[in-house]
Amino acid sequence: MSSKESNREQGFQTLAVHKGYKPDPLTGSLALPIHQTSTFVFPSAETGGRRFAGEEEGYVYSRLGNPTVTALEEKIAALEKGEKALAFASGMAAISAVLLGLVRSGDHILCSRGLYGCTFGFLSILKDKFNVDYTLCDMRDKESILREIKENTKVIYIETPINPTMQIIDLALIGQIGKEHNVTTVVDNTFMSPYLQRPLEYGCDVVVHSATKYLGGHGDLVAGVAVGTKEFLEHIQFTTQKDIGGILAPFDAFLLVRGIKTLGVRMDRHSENAQKVAEFLESHPKVTNVMYPGLKSFPQHELAKRQMDGFGGLISFELKEGLEAGLNMMNKLELLKCAVSLGDVDSLIQHPASMTHSVVPHEERIKMGIADGLIRLSVGIENVEDIIYDLEQALS
Ligand code: 4LM
């Protein structure tokens, strides 16, 4: 490769395929080796001591780092345009390690009004057991964000689009408010993946993902990642990741690397299919309240166009006849599977009020915009005619 070539900034899909691993010089293995080991042998006792003291680079023990996991972390960091990434055993392990690394007793977290159920559950644990308060706030409105920031606010934590209402928050605004008020901004980018949205480019500080979803893409693993500055991620690595221990196993890192190689191709198909499915649902006489950022009727369509490179694969909607009719429709589906999770190549459909967001108290759920009859559809990469055919027969 010429030096000119090596200075070129490579495109997203090229990085998705190649970043983080070069064919092993010893064996020539094209695929990333799975370093299925718990510990690493030191060439000498002195080397081991220096590695523990942080005076010399090198692997020590797989809770502190593993070459297969490092390859994944380098790939994710490049795709999210961050300095460093860390991989975790689940999205919740990433989210909890990041938040625990940022707050102490007496602090306050300002959150989007609308969060994945277990993130809400973790905030409740922080509040009940560790005296870390939180406020849920409609962040579509700048004034309400400014009103809710307190002296002790240390973190602004958001999802955008929000699971499952698809409401969108202006990332540039959040990044700016964070800087002006010296508050760390954390964005859960699970619904978009770095192919469609990169919050760090808008001045936000930390990105977290449930890598179980679009990053993995095949419904065969549970994982999480966090991305940000080297300084912040090293702080997490050597505190709440190392000492709580929610690390990713090498085999799951290998599966994630394999999944990410096709991320851009999959996201294009998810977005293309979801647009057609959303238009079908919107035109169906039995369906109401279709929430998909790619629809012209979507209240934040213009903001979505501005900060997202595509509209993704998630749609929420209700049936005019309500909850019972919605559940009946879900039971009649043949191709689409009734399951939680999202972002898989398979289309998945679920009922947030009784499933993913059931831990959120009813009153709060309604304030979040999660009606009792709301249904969430994660559109897969099957032939779109077959997805629409299945929905049509289930609605008939
Ligand atoms: C679901 N979601 O919605 P792990 N952040 C977001 C999520 O949607 C999720 C997590 C974090 C669903 C799981 C059953 C926006 C999860 C948590 O499940 O811990 O990898 O991620 O269907």
Side-chain angles (χ1 to χ4, degrees):
M1 197 187 287
S2 70
S3 61
K4 191 171 165 216
E5 181 76 359
S6 61
N7 287 334
R8 260 183 82 239
E9 202 179 317
Q10 293 179 320
F12 186 96
Q13 238 335 109
T14 306
L15 294 171
V17 173
H18 294 285
K19 189 70 184 177
Y21 174 70
K22 288 196 173 60
D24 178 12
L26 206 62
T27 62
S29 168
L30 174 70
L32 173 67
I34 303 169
H35 293 275
Q36 192 69 35
T37 185
S38 50
T39 198
F40 298 84
V41 178
F42 305 130
S44 70
E46 291 77 8
T47 306
R50 284 195 298 276
R51 287 189 190 173
F52 263 92
E55 293 163 5
E56 185 182 299
E57 293 272 311
Y59 292 99
V60 170
Y61 181 67
S62 279
R63 181 158 40 76
L64 315 180
N66 172 288
T68 310
V69 179
T70 305
L72 164 70
E73 291 170 340
E74 286 180 8
K75 197 184 285 295
I76 301 259
L79 298 180
E80 280 289 2
K81 308 272 182 232
E83 286 175 12
K84 183 173 166 69
L86 286 179
F88 292 84
S90 68
M92 287 319 304
I95 291 165
S96 55
V98 164
L99 287 178
L100 282 171
L102 284 169
V103 295
R104 60 181 68 234
S105 173
D107 288 345
H108 171 253
I109 305 173
L110 184 57
C111 304
S112 48
R113 170 150 264 147
L115 292 168
Y116 168 58
C118 295
T119 306
F120 180 84
F122 181 66
L123 289 166
S124 310
I125 294 174
L126 284 180
K127 184 176 169 125
D128 295 347
K129 293 185 132 179
F130 301 104
N131 189 35
V132 174
D133 202 5
Y134 69 87
T135 309
L136 302 180
C137 162
D138 185 347
M139 295 203 187
R140 289 171 299 178
D141 172 34
K142 181 178 177 182
E143 293 314 310
S144 55
I145 308 176
L146 296 176
R147 219 175 20 248
E148 298 291 354
I149 292 185
K150 306 175 192 210
E151 277 288 284
N152 60 342
T153 304
K154 291 286 162 28
V155 180
I156 295 180
Y157 183 95
I158 68 165
E159 290 176 11
T160 182
I162 292 177
N163 182 0
T165 58
M166 304 307 292
Q167 287 171 16
I168 291 173
I169 298 169
D170 187 333
L171 287 168
L173 176 67
I174 295 298
Q176 182 200 335
I177 292 177
K179 298 269 178 303
E180 283 171 7
H181 291 79
N182 200 22
V183 170
T184 304
T185 48
V186 182
V187 181
D188 185 330
N189 201 27
T190 299
F191 266 39
M192 286 282 95
S193 90
Y195 183 69
L196 296 182
Q197 175 173 280
R198 290 159 305 281
L200 303 180
E201 290 182 341
Y202 291 91
C204 298
D205 298 308
V206 185
V207 166
V208 289
H209 277 276
S210 171
T212 315
K213 312 294 168 15
Y214 286 113
L215 291 173
H218 295 74
D220 52 11
L221 61 92
V222 174
V225 295
V227 194
T229 62
K230 186 168 181 290
E231 186 187 357
F232 176 68
L233 269 299
E234 278 181 354
H235 164 64
I236 298 297
Q237 183 175 11
F238 297 115
T239 56
T240 52
Q241 186 183 51
K242 172 174 80 68
D243 297 334
I244 299 176
I247 51 132
L248 189 65
F251 182 63
D252 288 343
F254 165 84
L255 284 178
L256 254 176
V257 164
R258 192 167 81 142
I260 291 169
K261 286 185 184 219
T262 57
L263 181 63
V265 181
R266 285 186 283 109
M267 292 315 294
D268 282 341
R269 180 66 169 254
H270 282 296
S271 299
E272 195 185 308
N273 277 2
Q275 183 72 37
K276 289 183 183 150
V277 172
E279 284 167 12
F280 161 77
L281 289 170
E282 192 170 48
S283 68
H284 197 285
K286 290 190 179 170
V287 177
T288 183
N289 201 18
V290 181
M291 286 296 165
Y292 181 67
L295 290 176
K296 290 202 174 64
S297 61
F298 184 74
Q300 297 172 289
H301 181 60
E302 290 307 315
L303 173 59
K305 278 205 289 198
R306 212 162 59 233
Q307 72 181 21
M308 291 150 55
D309 294 337
F311 302 114
L314 283 143
I315 305 171
S316 285
F317 63 98
E318 290 176 63
L319 294 199
K320 285 183 184 151
E321 287 174 14
L323 172 62
E324 193 102 342
L327 299 182
N328 284 340
M329 183 273 290
M330 286 168 67
N331 286 331
K332 280 170 74 181
L333 288 163
E334 288 168 6
L335 179 71
L336 278 56
K337 301 295 181 291
C338 176
V340 297
S341 203
L342 58 102
D344 291 350
V345 289
D346 310 50
S347 292
L348 303 177
I349 194 160
Q350 68 109 7
H351 175 237
S354 67
M355 298 176 190
T356 51
H357 291 69
S358 55
V359 298
V360 182
H362 184 258
E363 195 187 335
E364 185 52 59
R365 219 164 50 223
I366 298 300
K367 281 195 207 156
M368 286 179 174
I370 307 173
D372 289 343
L374 193 76
I375 291 166
R376 188 190 75 191
L377 170 59
S378 172
V379 180
I381 66 164
E382 301 95 337
N383 290 84
V384 72
E385 304 77 29
D386 295 328
I387 300 172
I388 291 175
Y389 178 85
D390 199 27
L391 283 164
E392 199 156 31
Q393 67 78 19
L395 283 163
S396 67

